[in-house]
Amino acid sequence: MPLNKNRIFDILVYIISFLFFATLILLLSGIFFQTSIHLFMKELKDAGLWNSIFLSFKLSFIVILINLIIGIPIAYVLSFKKSKISFLLDIISALPLTTSPLVIGFAVLITMGSLNPIGKFFIDNGIKFVFTPQGIVLVQLIISFPFFVNIVKTSFDSINRKMLDLSKTLGASSFDVLFKIIIPLSYNGIIAGLAMSWSRSIGEYAATQMISGVIPKITETAPIEVFVKTSYGNYPAAITIAGILMIISLFFLGIFKYFNYKIKTNV
Amino acid sequence: MKLLEIKNINKSFLNKKVLDGINLEIESGEISSIFGYSGEGKSTMLKIICGILKQDRGDVILNAKNINNLESYERRTPLVMDEPLLFPNMNVIENIEFGLKLNLNKRNSINNIGKNKKLFYSPKEIMELLGITGLEKRYPSEISMGQAQRVSLARALIVNPDIILMDEPFSNLDIISKIKVRRLIKDINRELKISILLVTHDIEDVVNLSDKMFILNNGKIQDSGHPKEVLKKPSSIDTAFLLGTENILGGVISGIDPDNNLIKIKVKVRNENTEYIEYNKKADAGVIIEADFQGNFEIGEQVFLAVRPEEIIILREDRQASKPVRENRFSGKIISSIFTSRMMEISIKSEENLELKVLIPFHAYEVMHLFEGKTVNVSLKKSSIHLIKKKKTVKDSISP
């Protein structure tokens, strides 16, 4: 086969992509080279490890539940109530995407501290955010909800507006339109958004560590546990948790991609 | 009985006035059409009636009740649009029952007593009427455009409205589905006694279906009445142009004789150099055309003459001309003949340089051995000539 320009082009793009994928896979799976199945299984029996993973699951589950409840109305406003300030709303809701998680954690830590009037108000009313699980939920919510809202908004955007107008003339109120048409048509987007925000929340470290105070069994989530174990030099334990976290991400990424493809092919 | 009244509706978008004081009245049980070019605010009008858009000023009155402040879901004025817009997450029967389920609770409160109208038709009855039985379990992506449009119609009918609003419902249909759906709409109107307000830019839809038409132009209702009357006797030159009246000649009244039912018009022939027909006072040359007497004109007044192309007669050489075809006879040459889907469209230029468009059936074209370049005799029946005042403003032309 002659080596024309198009073939050279194909070969180049394939080589570059392959090199990138290979490097990435090696880097990530490299941690498994430093352990053995025996060590891995031994660490799996450690109760502390499961404690932290269970805590991460519990907190991130609460986070996506809250995401679902507040994210759909926010996505609705961003998608259907276009006005002069929607651009501003869009920026504000996407701000956590571009802000460093550490900064977000820091901001929440300061705001919710006892010296701050806002924090003082909450503390006086018996709600403590600093060094507590609810604090972790709060920061993870701030960090993960833009993912959910953006994906759901994209899904809402793809719904035919004329069809919605028409449904109103058939007697559908805004509630009917949301629950009977918009949400059923956005199932894929909502599931993709949940998967994305869940994996974001379960793997979140910087902001979580800021607000958690790293209290064993209470605020020590799995990613924090990885850091703590590493700093003690307990690599086998850190590798085990990191491996589990990686498998979880892979699983949820799979779900996200699957439903995301479905959004595109459905419309 | 008046079903729907539109009073002085105004609507602007970004300082552009789209609707400027629209007044309409729609009788119960009729099919009415709003006709106009694209972008003239026809759809905006419908959206205001069903409550999707709010008017800047004016009132919408349905069944003698002002519905300005009702949300669209409370108005019961279902819309059928140019696309079927079925809900893709529901199958056909779920689509049809959509409105029914929403309206279930309101059933009893709807005051329909004494209207000789069944309360609600079952989805089965409606599907039968529209000929879509058997499609219940199919999804919108699995049925044809024509079927989908009928499902869309069924979805609107199920809420048992007094009026259905239709926005160009045929524009995406092929010719066969179009004829079917048109007939269905007539049936629905007759059998279910549901009034229909149709918006269209296709004059065929208007003539075929409606009992009354409104011409919307420049944000105003320019003309209204029975389609045949409006088509034959447009009240202004704007309307005539809008309706595609092809033979419009400029002239001046030269004689009036009401006793003999006669009015004479001197017609200025088309100048080769000007694109528009314009009466030129200096040029005295012209052709005298006789028409049936029409009131309200004076000698010397400038007028337009409109003749529909299908009313011009090409005389057969082999036959003795009857009385009406001896009126306004011209001899002219066929300068072009175009075969359209149903008729032959012929342009004839008379010896006096008068250009006329004539529509005749294809078989007549063949029987008469017509061809481009042939010289023929044509006749304009006196009764077919409609006079339009030249200086008639849009406002004057709205019939009271």
Side-chain angles (χ1 to χ4, degrees):
Chain A
M1 218 177 280
L3 204 64
N4 59 28
K5 277 186 179 169
N6 283 2
R7 286 197 64 78
I8 295 172
F9 176 85
D10 283 353
I11 291 168
L12 274 177
V13 291
Y14 277 124
I15 287 178
I16 293 170
S17 318
F18 176 76
L19 283 180
F20 172 75
F21 288 132
T23 317
L24 189 71
I25 289 167
L26 276 177
L27 278 176
L28 291 180
S29 59
I31 59 166
F32 294 109
F33 299 157
Q34 215 171 313
T35 183
S36 65
I37 292 177
H38 175 72
L39 268 178
F40 195 82
M41 296 311 278
K42 201 186 122 200
E43 287 301 332
L44 279 183
K45 284 176 192 144
D46 178 20
L49 177 148
W50 289 111
N51 248 333
S52 66
I53 288 177
F54 179 69
L55 182 70
S56 275
F57 261 87
K58 193 176 84 179
L59 296 182
S60 59
F61 187 70
I62 296 171
V63 167
I64 62 159
L65 257 186
I66 302 175
N67 259 329
L68 194 65
I69 295 163
I70 63 166
I72 288 177
I74 292 173
Y76 183 91
V77 170
L78 289 176
S79 180
F80 294 103
K81 300 282 181 195
K82 291 251 158 62
S83 68
K84 279 167 193 159
I85 60 159
S86 17
F87 176 68
L88 208 67
L89 285 176
D90 213 356
I91 288 185
I92 294 171
S93 67
L95 191 65
L97 284 176
T98 51
T99 314
S100 159
L102 196 73
V103 173
I104 292 169
F106 181 69
V108 175
L109 180 70
I110 297 297
T111 312
M112 290 305 175
S114 55
L115 297 175
N116 192 292
I118 299 173
K120 200 168 178 304
F121 171 80
F122 280 107
I123 291 164
D124 288 347
N125 285 288
I127 307 167
K128 259 189 84 182
F129 283 106
V130 176
F131 304 153
T132 60
Q134 50 266 36
I136 296 177
V137 169
L138 183 66
V139 291
Q140 292 192 350
L141 192 65
I142 295 171
I143 284 167
S144 68
F145 98 89
F147 290 91
F148 181 75
V149 168
N150 266 319
I151 294 165
V152 174
K153 177 185 173 280
T154 313
S155 181
F156 284 3
D157 281 345
S158 69
I159 296 174
N160 190 334
R161 301 305 203 258
K162 271 171 91 181
M163 181 181 77
L164 298 182
D165 279 345
L166 188 142
S167 73
K168 286 175 194 163
T169 70
L170 296 172
S173 66
S174 298
F175 284 102
D176 297 320
V177 174
L178 180 68
F179 289 111
K180 293 195 168 117
I181 303 169
I182 297 175
I183 289 182
L185 282 177
S186 308
Y187 278 148
N188 293 334
I190 290 170
I191 291 172
L194 285 179
M196 198 65 191
S197 61
W198 193 358
S199 58
R200 188 76 193 81
S201 146
I202 205 160
E204 157 51 33
Y205 167 71
T208 312
Q209 202 220 22
M210 267 289 178
I211 196 87
S212 75
V214 198
I215 303 163
K217 289 186 183 170
I218 297 173
T219 62
E220 216 175 73
T221 61
I224 293 175
E225 185 87 351
V226 173
F227 184 78
V228 171
K229 289 286 195 279
T230 312
S231 58
Y232 290 161
N234 186 354
Y235 287 102
I239 288 169
T240 308
I241 303 170
I244 291 171
L245 282 178
M246 219 181 279
I247 291 162
I248 291 170
S249 314
L250 202 65
F251 179 67
F252 283 108
L253 192 67
I255 292 183
F256 165 73
K257 284 292 179 195
Y258 175 73
F259 284 103
N260 215 19
Y261 275 127
K262 270 182 100 177
I263 300 178
K264 280 169 193 153
T265 48
N266 257 13
V267 175
Chain B
M1 198 190 86
K2 272 179 224 149
L3 176 70
L4 180 71
E5 272 180 273
I6 307 293
K7 284 188 179 162
N8 195 26
I9 290 279
N10 283 269
K11 178 77 188 172
S12 303
F13 290 117
L14 297 169
N15 297 326
K16 189 185 175 280
K17 207 151 200 175
V18 180
L19 298 174
D20 185 6
I22 300 282
N23 288 293
L24 294 181
E25 273 179 18
I26 286 159
E27 299 287 315
S28 186
E30 282 192 346
I31 301 182
S32 311
S33 310
I34 301 179
F35 173 81
Y37 287 159
S38 305
E40 286 290 353
K42 304 187 301 282
S43 302
T44 308
M45 191 67 239
L46 282 196
K47 281 181 183 165
I48 287 171
I49 296 171
C50 68
I52 294 172
L53 282 176
K54 284 268 181 285
Q55 67 270 32
D56 299 337
R57 225 164 350 112
D59 295 306
V60 182
I61 293 156
L62 183 67
N63 278 328
K65 197 178 138 210
N66 191 319
I67 57 170
N68 278 355
N69 294 324
L70 290 186
E71 290 286 333
S72 49
Y73 75 94
E74 298 166 311
R75 293 191 181 192
R76 288 211 312 138
T77 48
L79 200 57
V80 174
M81 298 209 213
D82 50 350
E83 305 163 64
L85 297 171
L86 301 182
F87 308 123
N89 55 321
M90 304 176 196
N91 63 25
V92 165
I93 191 75
E94 286 168 337
N95 260 290
I96 294 175
E97 287 176 340
F98 179 79
L100 190 67
K101 283 179 180 152
L102 299 171
N103 285 282
L104 222 53
N105 305 327
K106 299 172 208 156
R107 252 191 208 208
N108 301 327
S109 63
I110 294 166
N111 181 20
N112 261 325
I113 303 153
K115 263 194 186 170
N116 188 25
K117 205 167 147 184
K118 208 170 148 183
L119 255 179
F120 274 82
Y121 288 85
S122 76
K124 219 181 141 207
E125 283 173 292
I126 286 178
M127 288 183 81
E128 217 157 276
L129 178 73
L130 297 181
I132 44 175
T133 317
L135 298 178
E136 287 87 348
K137 292 278 175 270
R138 303 259 199 103
Y139 275 83
S141 55
E142 300 164 348
I143 57 178
S144 74
M145 190 71 172
Q147 289 170 329
Q149 192 60 309
R150 279 183 271 170
V151 174
S152 180
L153 211 55
R155 188 171 58 171
L157 285 171
I158 203 88
V159 301
N160 194 34
D162 292 320
I163 187 164
I164 294 186
L165 310 173
M166 297 188 181
D167 191 352
E168 311 267 8
F170 315 108
S171 61
N172 281 326
L173 296 181
D174 57 84
I175 187 90
I176 294 168
S177 312
K178 196 172 185 168
I179 292 166
K180 264 189 202 159
V181 175
R182 257 193 208 142
R183 193 171 307 143
L184 281 174
I185 289 176
K186 260 229 133 109
D187 290 348
I188 289 163
N189 171 250
R190 219 179 18 241
E191 285 181 29
L192 308 186
K193 297 187 174 55
I194 292 175
S195 312
I196 289 160
L197 178 58
L198 183 77
V199 150
T200 180
H201 63 257
D202 186 350
I203 191 70
E204 291 242 339
D205 295 342
V206 178
V207 181
N208 248 300
L209 283 173
S210 43
D211 304 302
K212 194 172 183 185
M213 76 180 287
F214 301 91
I215 296 180
L216 186 62
N217 191 26
N218 285 327
K220 289 185 159 100
I221 296 290
Q222 188 176 287
D223 220 327
S224 66
H226 193 277
K228 264 186 207 146
E229 290 299 306
V230 177
L231 212 60
K232 218 169 173 178
K233 298 176 178 169
S235 67
S236 73
I237 189 75
D238 289 343
T239 308
F241 273 126
L242 210 63
L243 293 172
T245 310
E246 272 153 308
N247 298 311
I248 300 176
L249 308 166
V252 67
I253 306 268
S254 63
I256 299 177
D257 186 357
D259 297 334
N260 291 322
N261 189 21
L262 191 72
I263 194 160
K264 285 185 181 177
I265 312 102
K266 186 186 251 182
V267 171
K268 168 78 175 87
V269 292
R270 190 191 283 259
N271 191 320
E272 295 282 320
N273 302 321
T274 52
E275 235 175 85
Y276 300 100
I277 308 145
E278 186 79 44
Y279 179 74
N280 188 342
K281 266 189 178 168
K282 284 174 198 159
D284 253 353
V287 188
I288 299 286
I289 288 181
E290 293 180 345
D292 280 353
F293 176 76
Q294 292 162 51
N296 247 335
F297 291 99
E298 7 180 297
I299 290 186
E301 190 180 343
Q302 293 187 27
V303 289
F304 287 110
L305 272 126
V307 190
R308 297 213 52 89
E310 58 273 18
E311 303 228 39
I312 297 177
I313 302 162
I314 297 182
L315 302 178
R316 291 184 67 157
E317 297 153 344
D318 53 341
R319 291 209 187 146
Q320 186 70 35
S322 61
K323 194 188 163 230
V325 297
R326 268 178 275 156
E327 297 159 354
N328 297 319
R329 270 174 81 158
F330 299 99
S331 167
K333 210 183 219 178
I334 298 180
I335 52 170
S336 79
S337 56
I338 301 161
F339 182 58
T340 65
S341 60
R342 284 159 202 209
M343 300 281 252
M344 289 301 293
E345 200 182 290
I346 303 174
S347 287
I348 294 174
K349 198 171 207 172
S350 79
E351 286 159 359
E352 299 86 355
N353 220 10
L354 208 64
E355 226 180 286
L356 297 167
K357 248 209 188 114
V358 185
L359 274 180
I360 60 167
F362 186 65
H363 68 88
Y365 186 79
E366 282 199 319
V367 166
M368 291 162 79
H369 304 293
L370 300 180
F371 52 87
E372 276 178 31
K374 186 175 183 179
T375 305
V376 289
N377 286 316
V378 294
S379 160
L380 275 60
K381 277 188 294 176
K382 280 200 274 186
S383 61
S384 72
I385 294 165
H386 173 62
L387 293 182
I388 303 166
K389 280 186 182 285
K390 187 166 186 190
K391 283 182 191 120
K392 192 149 195 187
T393 58
V394 172
K395 212 174 174 185
D396 295 331
S397 70
I398 300 168
S399 52

